[in-house]
Structures are given as C-alpha cells and as structure tokens.
Amino acid sequence: MAIESYSKESLVNSTGFSPMDRDILKIVLDNSKQYSLSAANREIIKFKGGIK
C-alpha cells in the first residue's frame, strides 16, 4: 500500500493544520518535494524544537 504524498502547496493550504503550523510548513518544506502527512508533522515538531 502506497503512502499518499502531497506537495508543499497542498499541505500549506490544508485545513488539517493550524494556521501557525501552516506558516511553519511554508518555511521548512521544499517546493520540489512531496511529503506524507506524518513527514510534514515531523518537520513541524523538528522546527518547534521537539515541543508540541
């Protein structure tokens, strides 16, 4: 079973993330890559320094 992946634009415009988390995604994600939801969440946590 393939894991769904999404573009930076799709994730940044997703209502599944808080406005602050979407701002973080704008900073940390690469425009040319695709990300799973879990990968996007890991990037948010890493940016916050491991604090949720």
Side-chain angles (χ1 to χ4, degrees):
M1 181 173 166
I3 297 173
E4 290 190 46
S5 59
Y6 305 92
S7 67
K8 174 181 177 176
E9 182 179 2
S10 293
L11 292 167
V12 166
N13 292 320
S14 169
T15 58
F17 294 102
S18 71
M20 183 176 80
D21 288 349
R22 290 194 305 262
D23 287 342
I24 292 170
L25 292 173
K26 287 178 191 176
I27 296 167
V28 299
L29 298 186
D30 188 322
N31 287 329
S32 64
K33 293 185 181 177
Q34 298 278 312
Y35 299 88
S36 67
L37 293 178
S38 61
N41 280 310
R42 281 194 304 274
E43 292 297 327
I44 291 167
I45 291 167
K46 189 175 8 173
F47 184 86
K48 291 179 178 178
I51 300 169
K52 261 194 162 175

